[in-house]
Amino acid sequence: MGHFVIADRDTDFLLPPSVQDWLPEDHLARFVVEVVDQLDLSELTRQYAGRGSRAHHPAVLLSLLIYGYATGVFSSRKIERATHDSIAFRYLAANTHPDHDTIATFRRRFLPQVEALFVQVLLLAREMNLVKLGRIALDGTKVKANASKHKALSYAHANKIEAQLKAEVNALAAQAEAADQAPVLEGMDIPAEIARREARLEALADAKRAIEARAQERFDQEQADYQQKQAKRQAQRDAGKKPRGRAPKPPQPGPRDTDQVNLTDDESRIMPVSGGGFEQCYNAQAGVDTETMLVVSTHMTQATNDKQQITPALTQIGALPQALGTVTDLLADTGYFSKTNVQACRENNIQPSLAVARDQHHLSVFDRFAADEPAPVTNDPVVQMKHRLTTQSGRALYALRKQTVEPVFGIIKQVMGLRQFSMRGLKKVAGEWTLATLAWNVKRMSVLKMAV
């Protein structure tokens, strides 16, 4: 016979059990409670009227969501189930069991307050000497929307279906008028069939209006770019120089046949994803501190590329409390490079390191240790930045970008499991992204605290 530990499920506890005995001292759930207990939740608690049955405290629900996002449990139903099945979730809920409707309603109701809580967590990290701003790496990642790309409707197909439905409505109306002379097909309810098609026509009209509005926004942007290029070429002519390259073509107004709108989440967009192919996505942006890998700024965009995302990131960074420190450098890949973006960084007293072209891999030992070229005598910020990126110190600084922000995205998507948003609509998705990065920060802070 082996010598085994006895598994006795029948004997009662001699003393009442305590939730404090359930988890080891260094467990993430304990740290989540420690962080949430230090947050100012008055903006949340004051919105409870205090009538009816007792509500679960916002601190409990927030703790459940933070720990859920940090460990890959996003569904309110799964969180509810975990308060029964998981020791960590039982500890967070203090052995209570909020139902999934309560959790889902809390998340949806207080998404606008998550941004302020995100900043509070950063301030707490500063008090714990875990972060002080300096160098920030900025990047974006495509996260699937809560919608299928197969639910997208193109402008050409919308016109085709619209014509078909209108023809069917006219045919059904003619059939109703001729009902006295020709019998209606057995089982056909003509008024119901007409009403069904008219409802679909109304939905199609809404979809077409959305596509046309987007097309107008695109035309306005393309027209502004066209006029800027024309003005630049004219300035070259006025200076006695011949403009280089082909003359730009004026943009064409109106929607294109391939323009689409998604019928499930019309604010999401079809975007190319890594590995090839296209998915219905949002472009999630994050600025990450290079020293600690804590996310310090977030925003969400529907744009496929990152060219226009420097200014929103600078706005978010500029709104951070001064107690967090001062951002000195902004690192970003070639997708963010433009003269306008370089100037925007300089205007905000931040030194930009925006890659102008793809990095050259496997430099020879002589190139890696070669002396820096003399700095050019110029006030052009783009020329100055290009030279700085060729120096040994500039290359070392820019190298921090890849080892900072990309691992954070990898952990959030592959380890924490946020590969698809649960919410729909740009504002709600932005709030969910902030909640996910807040959960990452708490998870990261627990590791940094143990390393101190």
Side-chain angles (χ1 to χ4, degrees):
M1 293 293 291
H3 188 58
F4 300 114
V5 174
I6 297 173
D8 184 357
R9 300 183 180 88
D10 298 320
T11 302
D12 293 336
F13 289 109
L14 298 178
L15 293 172
S18 170
V19 295
Q20 295 298 332
D21 299 331
W22 292 354
L23 295 173
E25 290 296 326
D26 60 350
H27 198 280
L28 175 61
R30 287 186 182 274
F31 187 72
V32 169
V33 171
E34 179 184 336
V35 168
V36 172
D37 283 348
Q38 296 182 69
L39 301 179
D40 179 6
L41 302 181
S42 59
E43 182 65 26
L44 281 63
T45 56
R46 72 164 58 103
Q47 297 190 38
Y48 286 80
R51 297 187 298 270
S53 59
R54 288 188 174 185
H56 291 277
H57 197 281
V60 171
L61 300 174
L62 180 62
S63 297
L64 289 172
L65 284 172
I66 291 175
Y67 186 77
Y69 273 79
T71 56
V73 184
F74 312 111
S75 163
S76 57
R77 291 182 182 274
K78 290 183 178 180
I79 293 175
E80 177 191 358
R81 193 179 309 127
T83 63
H84 294 274
D85 299 343
S86 164
I87 292 178
F89 278 96
R90 269 184 176 265
Y91 172 83
L92 291 164
N95 211 24
T96 63
H97 307 286
D99 61 63
H100 62 273
D101 282 338
T102 298
I103 297 168
T105 300
F106 176 85
R107 174 171 54 184
R108 184 171 57 251
R109 179 181 181 185
F110 291 112
L111 274 180
Q113 283 74 31
V114 169
E115 186 173 347
L117 296 174
F118 176 88
V119 176
Q120 283 193 52
V121 170
L122 288 177
L123 288 170
L124 181 58
R126 181 70 185 102
E127 291 176 10
M128 298 169 66
N129 293 319
L130 299 180
V131 66
K132 184 178 181 181
L133 299 186
R135 296 165 176 170
I136 302 299
L138 176 67
D139 206 350
T141 184
K142 310 294 172 48
V143 182
K144 290 183 181 179
N146 188 4
S148 170
K149 65 181 180 181
H150 301 295
K151 291 295 182 180
L153 177 70
S154 71
Y155 195 71
H157 193 61
N159 286 328
K160 178 181 177 182
I161 297 299
E162 183 181 49
Q164 177 183 333
L165 290 173
K166 286 181 177 179
E168 290 179 359
V169 168
N170 292 335
L172 286 168
Q175 179 73 20
E177 292 177 1
D180 294 337
Q181 289 76 27
V184 178
L185 294 176
E186 184 178 354
M188 177 183 289
D189 185 346
I190 291 181
E193 294 294 336
I194 292 177
R196 193 157 31 245
R197 282 157 178 76
E198 288 179 342
R200 291 188 64 188
L201 283 168
E202 186 175 345
L204 279 173
D206 291 339
K208 288 180 62 178
R209 280 193 290 269
I211 294 174
E212 289 162 0
R214 292 181 193 175
Q216 184 60 43
E217 292 176 3
R218 178 182 62 212
F219 173 74
D220 293 341
Q221 181 62 49
E222 290 177 347
Q223 184 68 14
D225 293 342
Y226 171 75
Q227 291 175 350
Q228 185 178 8
K229 291 177 182 178
Q230 287 290 76
K232 182 178 179 180
R233 293 173 69 86
Q234 186 59 46
Q236 291 173 336
R237 294 189 190 95
D238 294 342
K241 299 178 181 179
K242 182 180 179 180
R244 294 184 178 181
R246 295 181 179 179
K249 294 182 179 179
Q252 300 299 315
R256 301 163 186 164
D257 286 345
T258 55
D259 288 348
Q260 295 182 344
V261 64
N262 192 279
L263 301 179
T264 304
D265 182 358
D266 64 348
E267 296 186 18
S268 61
R269 298 290 187 269
I270 288 284
M271 298 183 182
V273 294
S274 59
F278 294 82
E279 292 291 347
Q280 202 74 31
C281 293
Y282 285 95
N283 186 350
Q285 300 280 314
V288 182
D289 176 55
T290 61
E291 293 294 325
T292 61
M293 295 176 70
L294 291 176
V295 177
V296 300
S297 72
T298 67
H299 70 275
M300 188 65 58
T301 177
Q302 300 158 308
T304 300
N305 61 54
D306 300 323
K307 192 71 71 178
Q308 306 298 323
Q309 304 314 310
I310 287 287
T311 298
L314 292 174
T315 301
Q316 293 287 329
I317 292 170
L320 292 173
Q322 293 184 352
L324 290 174
T326 302
V327 175
T328 58
D329 295 86
L330 183 66
L331 321 176
D333 62 26
T334 183
Y336 292 86
F337 172 73
S338 72
K339 183 176 181 179
T340 301
N341 289 341
V342 173
Q343 291 174 336
C345 290
R346 294 291 292 270
E347 290 169 2
N348 284 269
N349 298 316
I350 294 176
Q351 179 172 273
S353 292
L354 313 181
V356 179
R358 287 187 175 274
D359 293 337
Q360 181 181 351
H361 296 290
H362 310 300
L363 291 174
S364 71
V365 64
F366 301 105
D367 290 333
R368 285 192 289 116
F369 291 97
D372 296 340
E373 294 289 335
V377 182
T378 178
N379 291 324
D380 188 328
V382 174
V383 175
Q384 292 174 344
M385 185 192 73
K386 287 181 178 179
H387 171 264
R388 188 169 58 253
L389 288 171
T390 64
T391 64
Q392 291 192 32
S393 61
R395 290 199 301 268
L397 176 61
Y398 182 76
L400 296 176
R401 183 203 67 82
K402 191 171 185 178
Q403 68 191 51
T404 299
V405 66
E406 292 188 11
V408 171
F409 286 155
I411 293 170
I412 289 176
K413 297 175 78 171
Q414 302 301 325
V415 179
M416 293 168 55
L418 186 72
R419 302 182 187 91
Q420 180 173 344
F421 290 115
S422 301
M423 316 290 284
R424 293 172 181 166
L426 182 62
K427 287 185 178 180
K428 291 180 179 179
V429 165
E432 188 176 5
W433 176 241
T434 304
L435 177 59
T437 52
L438 185 157
W440 155 256
N441 281 350
V442 173
K443 189 182 181 82
R444 179 63 180 165
M445 286 165 60
S446 69
V447 175
L448 295 173
K449 181 184 177 183
M450 289 189 290
V452 172

